[in-house]
Amino acid sequence: MRKETSRAIQGTWILTIASLFSELLSAIYRIPLQNIVGDRGYFIYQQVYPIYGIFSVLALSGLPVIISKVFAQQNEIESKSKLMKNIFAILLIISVAITGLLWLSAHHLANFMGDPNLYHEVRAVSLTFLLIPFEASLRGYFQSELLMEPSAISQISEQLVRIIVIIGAAMMFGKGLLNEYQMGTIANGGAFIGGLFAVIVLAVSLFVKRPFVKDDQNANLTFEKGLPLEIVLIIIFTGVTIFYQFIDSFSMLRLLMKFGRPLAEAEVLKGIFDRAQPLIQLGIVISLSFVSAIMPQLKSEKFDMNKQLIGKMMRVCLWLATAETAGLVALMPVINTMLFTNSDGSFALGIYMMSIVIVSGINLLIAVTSSDNEKNTSKLVIFLLSLVAKIILNILFVPRFSIVGAALATVLSELIILIGLLVIYSSDRGTLLIGRNFTLKVLASGLFMALCIRALEKFMTQYLSLTRMSSVLINLILIPIGVLIYLFMSKTLSILDKSEWKILPMGKLFVKIMRIK
């Protein structure tokens, strides 16, 4: 049991560090991209990004998470071999159908997005869906065995290659060799090229380990009752932010133009709003990595044994997500300037950052309650209600408050899901493994840290004009101060116990230095 616990924690951090590095690369490449192509060029690249985001959810997080759980439920190697063959065949049919549908409807989707010239980009992104059977099935298998290294290496390889293609396209645009739409098409095509490299890494890992035998058609496959709905829930909730971004892609431009904004200005505003996406993705990486490690441990016969560990991992994850959210909200004008040369839209982006802790909470609650077939339908209804709310709130808020309205619409829609889940389990809060007292302490610590950092940032910017260089200096000073404040509050309020501190990287060192008892 102790060995399995150690593997689970180690696997979590391997995948977390790899995902953080991958998303950090994703955030960093947007700096030269936006600087070279400008806010309008950035908008053109980013407008079809939610389609890639759906691929990312299917290939990187949602499908591998649920597939890992199904693999973990099989007791025989013959069953796992048969399962791999069946999963691959089903995913291949679905992915070919999705690619064909996107390719054929590219013109209509581009028109619906408000710019008919985007259809080449839609087609470029559609090709990535052909890689889903390879990436999702192999990642799911490795994660079920708590072997996170293949997933981690493939993820980093995929992102590196993709970024090389994107920056190459931006540089060609900067030299006048490509127009904005050609740049966007090549840049979005980088997702397919990067995905091919990920498939190669995963296939080589599978060949080296040779885990499967020739499958026995008589082998028995074990499936939980209500698995199809559980699959749907895990996929949509691990990618919940992508669905809101999809709604923004199809509505924001039209809403801004309908109420008096010229097309060029509306595209620039949408480009500024899209600056938040890499930061949001970077923020929720931790919760998705924790979910990836938690899911294989939810087998019915092992759940009671692993319940204590799962609860500890969930609390540590929420503790980290709160710190991320508070820091990004407090320092948004400085971070925005450091990354994108100016602080335009910082108030809207600060509001948007609240999605990190909300979505992290949603991911954790959905993961730990995914097998609750009686309430899974209610969760799906809540999700659909949140999408309807996002559409309505966009219509109400965007014309009046511009991108601030879009950020508010997203956060409020996410809160509908979080509050809905808490209401559903109000009579059985023990199922959620996160107590009310813990939650209040974490939020209080995050708020206190944010207020302190915000006050210090205001003080420093009175004496320093906010430029890219000064913003780097301010971040280098205030981020460590924020970390110390948050650690001090966490120890003072006894938010984490000794065993939970040890889950963190260098946790034993934290325990020793902070004298945690």
Side-chain angles (χ1 to χ4, degrees):
M1 174 62 182
R2 181 172 296 178
K3 183 178 178 181
E4 188 171 340
T5 299
S6 177
R7 283 180 63 199
I9 294 172
Q10 183 182 16
T12 300
W13 288 115
I14 288 173
L15 199 57
T16 298
I17 292 169
S19 299
L20 282 172
F21 182 67
S22 178
E23 291 299 338
L24 187 61
L25 290 174
S26 182
I28 289 173
Y29 85 75
R30 283 170 164 83
I31 300 170
L33 177 63
Q34 187 266 351
N35 291 173
I36 294 171
V37 304
D39 282 323
R40 185 173 185 273
Y42 186 64
F43 154 80
I44 288 171
Y45 162 76
Q46 196 73 22
Q47 186 72 343
V48 301
Y49 185 85
I51 300 177
Y52 168 75
I54 292 175
F55 158 78
S56 182
V57 168
L58 293 173
L60 292 176
S61 53
L63 278 176
V65 163
I66 195 66
I67 289 172
S68 72
K69 184 181 178 182
V70 178
F71 266 115
Q73 291 169 349
Q74 314 307 316
N75 297 318
E76 304 294 334
I77 187 65
E78 291 83 4
S79 299
K80 292 185 178 182
S81 298
K82 183 178 180 179
L83 180 63
M84 174 62 83
K85 186 176 180 180
N86 291 348
I87 286 175
F88 183 86
I90 293 169
L91 291 180
L92 183 62
I93 294 170
I94 294 172
S95 63
V96 170
I98 293 174
T99 300
L101 182 63
L102 286 172
W103 187 276
L104 295 173
S105 62
H107 283 284
H108 299 293
L109 287 172
N111 284 328
F112 199 34
M113 287 178 179
D115 190 339
N117 294 313
L118 294 173
Y119 80 95
H120 286 300
E121 294 185 54
V122 175
R123 287 184 169 178
V125 173
S126 72
L127 296 176
T128 59
F129 287 83
L130 295 173
L131 303 175
I132 288 174
F134 304 92
E135 294 197 50
S137 58
L138 293 176
R139 284 188 173 116
Y141 166 72
F142 286 125
Q143 288 171 200
S144 73
E145 300 293 320
L146 297 178
L147 298 171
M148 303 300 185
E149 291 87 349
S151 288
I153 295 170
S154 66
Q155 192 170 333
I156 292 173
S157 302
E158 181 172 356
Q159 195 69 279
L160 277 172
V161 174
R162 177 170 163 260
I163 288 169
I164 289 170
V165 174
I166 292 171
I167 297 303
M171 291 176 67
M172 291 172 71
F173 168 81
K175 292 180 179 180
L177 300 175
L178 301 173
N179 64 36
E180 289 171 321
Y181 295 101
Q182 291 169 331
M183 176 277 300
T185 301
I186 294 174
N188 280 291
F192 178 73
I193 299 171
L196 287 175
F197 276 79
V199 170
I200 292 170
V201 170
L202 291 167
V204 169
S205 299
L206 188 71
F207 178 78
V208 170
K209 297 185 181 298
R210 296 176 180 269
F212 296 122
V213 296
K214 185 176 181 180
D215 65 279
D216 181 0
Q217 291 302 316
N218 296 318
N220 293 320
L221 297 179
T222 303
F223 299 107
E224 286 185 345
K225 183 181 178 182
L227 180 62
L229 183 55
E230 185 179 344
I231 292 172
V232 171
L233 287 173
I234 290 296
I235 290 173
I236 62 177
F237 281 111
T238 52
V240 66
T241 58
I242 299 298
F243 292 97
Y244 299 130
Q245 291 170 18
F246 218 88
I247 292 171
D248 286 330
S249 287
F250 285 111
S251 65
M252 276 186 68
L253 209 61
R254 291 177 178 275
L255 287 170
L256 289 168
M257 290 171 61
K258 185 177 179 181
F259 290 87
R261 304 274 188 175
L263 174 61
E265 183 184 345
E267 289 177 338
V268 169
L269 284 170
K270 181 61 166 56
I272 292 171
F273 183 74
D274 286 339
R275 295 178 183 183
Q277 292 186 16
L279 298 174
I280 295 289
Q281 291 163 348
L282 191 65
I284 63 175
V285 154
I286 291 178
S287 67
L288 292 176
S289 299
F290 272 79
V291 167
S292 297
I294 287 171
M295 287 299 288
Q297 302 177 64
L298 296 178
K299 293 191 294 184
S300 56
E301 69 271 18
K302 284 191 172 184
F303 178 70
D304 290 337
M305 183 170 58
N306 293 336
K307 189 173 181 179
Q308 188 177 12
L309 171 63
I310 293 170
K312 291 178 184 297
M313 293 176 73
M314 289 178 68
R315 287 189 288 274
V316 170
C317 180
L318 189 59
W319 179 80
L320 289 168
T322 303
E324 289 179 298
T325 303
L328 284 168
V329 171
L331 289 173
M332 182 46 62
V334 183
I335 291 172
N336 195 12
T337 304
M338 180 179 73
L339 296 179
F340 301 106
T341 71
N342 59 56
S343 60
D344 293 350
S346 292
F347 185 62
L349 301 183
I351 293 172
Y352 206 170
M353 291 305 107
M354 295 179 188
S355 294
I356 295 172
V357 69
I358 298 171
V359 171
S360 295
I362 291 170
N363 286 338
L364 293 171
L365 297 183
I366 289 295
V368 80
T369 63
S370 61
S371 300
D372 186 357
N373 297 319
E374 293 182 2
K375 297 177 180 177
N376 278 348
T377 303
S378 299
K379 297 172 195 172
L380 183 59
V381 171
I382 290 171
F383 168 74
L384 295 174
L385 287 174
S386 78
L387 292 186
V388 173
K390 169 63 176 172
I391 294 169
I392 294 172
L393 291 173
N394 263 18
I395 294 171
L396 293 175
F397 290 171
V398 172
R400 187 170 182 180
F401 304 113
S402 187
I403 60 175
V404 173
L408 275 171
T410 296
V411 171
L412 292 174
S413 300
E414 291 163 350
L415 279 173
I416 288 174
I417 298 177
L418 184 60
I419 294 171
L421 291 173
L422 295 176
V423 169
I424 289 174
Y425 288 96
S426 59
S427 60
D428 188 19
R429 293 296 292 273
T431 304
L432 304 181
L433 304 180
I434 298 177
R436 183 177 299 171
N437 190 43
F438 168 84
T439 304
L440 292 175
K441 286 182 178 180
V442 167
L443 294 178
S445 298
L447 179 61
F448 180 76
M449 184 261 279
L451 291 173
C452 291
I453 293 302
R454 186 65 172 159
L456 289 171
E457 184 263 331
K458 285 287 186 183
F459 175 77
M460 293 183 72
T461 51
Q462 284 185 342
Y463 299 94
L464 291 172
S465 59
L466 196 56
T467 63
R468 172 165 276 180
M469 288 303 297
S470 66
S471 66
V472 172
L473 176 63
I474 293 170
N475 279 317
L476 288 174
I477 294 172
L478 294 187
I479 289 175
I481 292 175
V483 170
L484 291 175
I485 292 172
Y486 195 67
L487 291 175
F488 171 78
M489 290 296 297
S490 298
K491 180 185 177 182
T492 302
L493 297 177
S494 301
I495 294 175
L496 302 178
D497 64 28
K498 190 174 182 178
S499 62
E500 290 165 349
W501 281 103
K502 289 182 177 179
I503 290 176
L504 296 166
M506 300 185 295
K508 292 182 180 179
L509 183 62
F510 276 115
V511 168
K512 185 176 180 180
I513 293 175
M514 297 176 65
R515 298 179 181 178
I516 306 294
K517 297 180 180 179

